[in-house]
């Protein structure tokens, strides 16, 4: 095979150029993320029941839902934790379960269990997790006003911060989630508003009214009447009747009957919109802040997401000058560091290989062959990343870094062995063929022994095996790509690089250089053998 390739340098060159073009194209399409996209075999069901005590929530809601969820296939374990006003059901599945299908099954069971729950009960939320759900960025949103922690009484905040919370949830969060690379933006640190009704006791007593009369009037005016369908010839209209109280104005105009007189609620009570007491606090420096955890889509590239976010922030800062935006905990720095480390390893390895080969062979052409083989091996490795559906992440990059040393070794061994055959008096073509054929088996055995250490990591069960999968495959891909390049490309280009040199003169010089090395080595060896005890 080597003899066939050595005589066809154009065909070999065009083949590798085609592979490199495919590799470069695959590089632009590979998702770039911090961690591999691994589905965690767990699903969480969150249940919220306002003003519902723990015993009522457990008996009337959690148990019916849990009975339905027990029918989901491949379920390994189910646990629930119920407290006042909220409950959580955690489901663990057997590893290897298609979590997307399990997610659909769980939602179907939840929909079926809604028939057994109170009519006004909010549908539980179903959440599945992935290892790539780590937020890539945190965006802090702050008003220009500065509030020191503890400065406000009763742990409340000003109406200004409440308005900022509403604006962040309704505008900033939605604009972030409209970015094509963003899966979701999880908001925290907000403060919601509430409508406070403080009755005037003297007026209630004068009109012979009680607090229960106000409560009943509010309930009577806060109704959902459902919808009806009206047909008019070929047209059909869906009409929905709603009479819900969702703002201060609606509550103020509630009517109460007091004998012969009808009076509005705002005449009997003071109605205000106030911020709720906060349960947590997020600060940036000395200012209260709202934090948005930005999670990337699994098939998106981190750099594309960073560019989109920076472009959006540029427009937000221009449109809303009274709001400060700050990006914190940028996880792309870790990935950039890994890629930078890979580049440094490549450059350092190439420099050291160049120096070592120049010192021993006294020829600049051999190091140039290494400069061709290493980038070619890496680009072909990226092509196989695309074929095996492996993303660029810190796990797969660590595998490539581990394989770079072997990539350099394979090329050096082939180059040195071809040089040895030239020094023995073989022609250039014979040296390329014999020198390469002689080391194919040792190189292959070396690659296989290294892969024998990493490949078994694929068969580790659970999430550990899934995480090490990318590293093991990356090492194997890098080594086999280097092996392929060293036994096909190196002999072909060795022949082209050394074709114009004078064979006899080259051999004489090489033998003279090697004789100097051998003479020095022989003297040192004799000295060691004569002083064995020392």
């Amino acid at each position: 095979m080597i003899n066939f390739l050595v005589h066809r340098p154009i065909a070999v060159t065009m083949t590798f150029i085609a592979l490199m073009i495919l590799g470069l194209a695959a590089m632009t399409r590979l998702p770039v993320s911090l961690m591999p996209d691994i589905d965690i075999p767990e699903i969480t069901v969150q249940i919220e029941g306002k003003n519902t005590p723990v015993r009522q929530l457990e008996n009337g809601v959690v148990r019916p839902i849990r009975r339905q969820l027990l029918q989901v296939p491949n379920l390994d374990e189910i646990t629930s934790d119920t407290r006042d006003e909220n409950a959580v059901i955690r489901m663990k599945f057997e590893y290897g379960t298609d979590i997307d299908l399990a997610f659909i099954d769980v939602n179907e069971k939840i929909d079926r269990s809604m028939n057994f729950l109170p009519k006004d009960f909010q549908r539980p939320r179903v959440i599945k997790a992935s290892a790539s759900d780590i937020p890539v960025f945190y965006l802090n949103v702050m008003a220009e006003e500065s509030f020191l922690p503890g400065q406000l009484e009763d742990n409340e905040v000003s109406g200004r911060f409440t308005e900022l919370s509403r604006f962040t949830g309704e505008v900033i969060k939605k604009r972030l989630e409209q970015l094509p690379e963003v899966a979701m933006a999880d908001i925290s640190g907000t403060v919601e508003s509430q409508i406070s009704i403080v009755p005037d006791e003297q007026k209630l007593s004068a009109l012979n009214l009680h607090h229960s009369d106000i409560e009943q009037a509010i309930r009577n005016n806060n109704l959902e009447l459902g919808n009806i369908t009206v047909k008019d010839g070929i047209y059909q209209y869906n009409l929905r009747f709603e009479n819900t109280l969702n703002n201060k104005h609606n509550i103020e105009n509630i009517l109460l009957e007091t004998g012969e007189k009808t009076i509005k609620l705002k005449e009997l009570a003071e109605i205000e919109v106030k911020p709720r007491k906060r349960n947590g606090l997020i600060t940036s420096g000395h200012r209260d802040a709202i934090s948005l955890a930005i999670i990337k889509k699994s098939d998106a590239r981190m750099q594309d997401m960073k560019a989109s976010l920076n472009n959006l922030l540029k427009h937000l800062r221009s449109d809303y000058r009274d709001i400060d935006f700050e990006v914190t905990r940028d996880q792309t720095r870790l990935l950039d560091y890994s890629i930078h480390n890979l580049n440094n390893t490549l450059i350092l390895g190439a420099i050291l290989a160049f120096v070592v080969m120049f010192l021993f062979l006294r020829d600049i052409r051999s190091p140039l062959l290494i400069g061709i083989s290493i980038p070619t091996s890496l680009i072909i490795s990226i092509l196989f990343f695309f074929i095996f559906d492996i993303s660029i992440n810190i796990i797969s990059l660590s595998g490539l870094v581990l394989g770079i040393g072997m990539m350099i070794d394979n090329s050096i061994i082939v180059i040195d062995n071809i040089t040895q055959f030239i020094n023995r008096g073989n022609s250039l073509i014979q040296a390329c063929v014999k020198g390469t054929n002689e080391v194919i088996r040792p190189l292959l055995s070396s690659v296989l022994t290294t892969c024998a250490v990493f490949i078994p990591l694929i068969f580790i069960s659970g999430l550990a095996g899934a995480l090490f999968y990318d590293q093991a495959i990356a090492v194997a891909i890098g080594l086999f790509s280097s092996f392929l390049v060293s036994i096909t490309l190196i002999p072909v280009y060795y022949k082209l690089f050394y074709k114009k040199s004078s064979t006899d003169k080259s051999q004489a010089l090489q033998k003279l250089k090697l004789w100097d090395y051998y003479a020095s080595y022989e003297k040192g060896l004799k000295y060691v053998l004569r002083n064995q005890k020392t």
Side-chain angles (χ1 to χ4, degrees):
M1 181 189 74
I2 304 301
N3 187 40
F4 176 82
L5 295 175
V6 167
H7 288 87
R8 291 165 176 81
I10 296 178
V12 172
T13 301
M14 296 306 296
T15 301
F16 274 95
I17 288 176
L19 290 175
M20 292 182 69
I21 291 174
L22 291 174
L24 293 173
M27 191 181 298
T28 62
R29 288 165 173 78
L30 275 177
V32 180
S33 57
L34 192 65
M35 296 292 291
D37 184 24
I38 302 170
D39 287 328
I40 299 174
E42 294 183 10
I43 291 179
T44 303
V45 180
Q46 295 182 347
I47 302 169
E48 293 184 3
K50 293 183 179 180
N51 303 320
T52 306
V54 59
R55 188 175 298 277
Q56 181 180 346
L57 191 62
E58 171 68 24
N59 296 333
V61 178
V62 176
R63 285 186 180 178
I65 293 177
R66 195 166 51 208
R67 280 196 297 267
Q68 292 290 330
L69 295 178
L70 287 171
Q71 304 173 29
V72 177
N74 300 320
L75 181 62
D76 186 40
E77 180 183 350
I78 182 170
T79 58
S80 62
D81 180 19
T82 308
R83 303 181 182 184
D84 288 335
E85 297 188 348
N86 64 80
V88 177
I89 300 176
R90 297 179 177 88
M91 306 172 64
K92 294 183 179 180
F93 294 86
E94 298 175 0
Y95 185 76
T97 302
D98 190 333
I99 203 67
D100 292 326
L101 293 178
F103 183 76
I104 294 173
D105 288 338
V106 170
N107 276 283
E108 288 180 351
K109 302 303 180 186
I110 293 292
D111 291 335
R112 187 177 300 175
S113 65
M114 292 299 293
N115 298 325
F116 306 99
L117 304 183
K119 292 183 179 181
D120 58 344
F121 198 83
Q122 184 180 358
R123 186 186 187 280
R125 291 192 301 168
V126 183
I127 302 171
K128 67 169 183 169
S130 172
S132 60
D133 286 345
I134 302 173
V136 180
F137 306 99
Y138 284 83
L139 177 63
N140 290 340
V141 182
M142 301 156 288
E144 289 187 348
E145 290 184 37
S146 178
F147 299 104
L148 293 174
Q151 182 180 11
L152 302 169
E153 297 180 359
D154 298 327
N155 202 30
E156 293 184 353
V157 293
S158 69
R160 168 83 171 167
F161 192 79
T162 306
E163 183 64 21
L164 178 64
S165 300
R166 184 194 63 80
F167 177 79
T168 303
E170 295 181 0
V171 179
I172 305 299
K173 182 175 183 293
K174 291 182 179 179
R175 291 189 66 175
L176 283 171
E177 292 178 343
Q178 288 173 355
L179 296 177
E181 299 85 6
V182 175
M184 65 172 293
D186 187 20
I187 189 170
S188 56
T190 58
V191 175
E192 297 180 356
S193 60
Q194 63 182 2
I195 298 177
S196 172
I197 303 174
V198 182
D200 188 329
E201 299 295 340
Q202 294 182 354
K203 291 182 179 179
L204 290 180
S205 176
L207 296 172
N208 197 23
L209 295 175
H210 303 281
H211 291 176
S212 58
D213 296 322
I214 297 178
E215 294 174 2
Q216 186 62 40
I218 293 174
R219 279 195 293 267
N220 293 339
N221 285 270
N222 191 32
L223 299 174
E224 290 189 8
L225 303 177
N227 56 355
I228 62 172
T229 301
V230 178
K231 291 185 178 180
D232 182 13
I234 61 173
Y235 298 101
Q236 180 174 309
Y237 304 95
N238 188 26
L239 304 179
R240 180 180 180 185
F241 298 94
E242 189 178 74
N243 188 30
T244 55
L245 302 174
N246 50 22
N247 56 54
K248 177 184 175 183
H249 177 74
N250 291 341
I251 295 177
E252 287 178 340
N253 292 297
I254 292 176
L255 300 178
L256 285 87
E257 299 289 339
T258 57
E260 299 179 354
K261 192 175 181 180
T262 301
I263 191 170
K264 291 183 179 180
L265 181 58
K266 64 181 179 181
E267 300 177 17
L268 298 175
E270 182 182 357
I271 303 171
E272 293 181 316
V273 178
K274 293 183 177 180
R276 291 183 180 178
K277 290 185 177 181
R278 59 166 53 183
N279 295 322
L281 178 67
I282 294 177
T283 60
S284 179
H286 60 82
R287 291 186 290 178
D288 292 346
I290 300 167
S291 181
L292 290 154
I294 304 172
I295 299 174
K296 179 184 72 67
K297 288 183 179 178
S298 59
D299 58 347
R301 298 172 63 88
M302 293 184 74
Q303 294 302 325
D304 294 342
M305 178 178 173
K306 188 174 183 178
S308 298
L309 178 63
N310 290 335
N311 186 47
L312 176 61
L313 288 178
K314 181 180 178 181
H315 290 289
L316 291 177
R317 291 188 177 107
S318 175
D319 295 340
Y320 311 108
R321 298 184 181 276
D322 57 340
I323 299 177
D324 291 339
F325 300 92
E326 180 187 16
V327 177
T328 61
R329 287 179 276 181
D330 184 356
Q331 299 298 319
T332 60
R333 293 180 181 176
L334 181 58
L335 187 63
D336 291 340
Y337 175 78
S338 300
I339 296 175
H340 180 69
N341 188 34
L342 178 64
N343 292 333
N344 287 343
T345 305
L346 281 174
I347 295 171
L348 185 61
I351 293 174
L352 291 177
F354 184 92
V355 172
V356 170
M357 294 198 72
F358 182 77
L359 289 175
F360 280 87
L361 300 178
R362 303 291 178 90
D363 190 356
I364 197 172
R365 287 169 289 187
S366 296
L368 288 179
L369 285 173
I370 297 208
I372 294 174
S373 65
I374 295 176
T376 304
S377 301
L378 278 176
I379 293 174
I380 293 176
S381 299
I382 297 297
L383 174 60
F384 282 99
F385 272 35
F386 184 79
I387 294 173
F388 285 94
D389 195 22
I390 298 176
S391 65
I392 297 177
N393 52 74
I394 59 174
I395 305 295
S396 60
L397 284 179
S398 67
L400 273 184
V401 171
L402 289 172
I404 285 176
M406 288 288 292
M407 290 181 186
I408 299 174
D409 291 345
N410 292 340
S411 299
I412 291 176
I413 290 170
V414 173
I415 293 171
D416 185 65
N417 206 51
I418 293 174
T419 305
Q420 292 293 328
F421 272 88
I422 292 177
N423 294 334
R424 295 172 190 172
N426 291 277
S427 66
L428 182 59
I429 294 178
Q430 288 178 338
C432 291
V433 175
K434 292 180 180 180
T436 305
N437 283 330
E438 189 178 62
V439 295
I440 286 179
R441 289 185 179 180
L443 286 179
L444 182 60
S445 63
S446 176
V447 169
L448 291 176
T449 52
T450 306
C451 291
V453 177
F454 291 95
I455 294 300
L457 297 176
I458 298 174
F459 302 101
I460 298 176
S461 61
L463 289 174
L467 283 172
F468 281 115
Y469 175 85
D470 281 23
Q471 186 184 56
I473 295 297
V475 171
I477 287 175
L479 294 181
F480 276 102
S481 298
S482 172
F483 173 73
L484 175 67
V485 171
S486 63
I487 66 172
T488 56
L489 194 64
I490 292 296
V492 172
Y493 277 83
Y494 192 101
K495 177 199 167 188
L496 294 176
F497 280 20
Y498 287 83
K499 188 175 182 179
K500 295 181 180 180
S501 62
S502 174
T503 305
D504 296 335
K505 185 177 179 181
S506 176
Q507 289 180 10
L509 289 173
Q510 291 290 347
K511 287 179 180 179
L512 182 60
K513 295 172 189 174
L514 290 171
W515 175 254
D516 293 339
Y517 287 121
Y518 292 155
S520 301
Y521 173 73
E522 186 177 1
K523 290 179 182 179
L525 179 61
K526 287 180 180 180
Y527 176 81
V528 172
L529 293 176
R530 288 170 184 168
N531 300 274
Q532 294 182 24
K533 291 184 179 180
T534 304

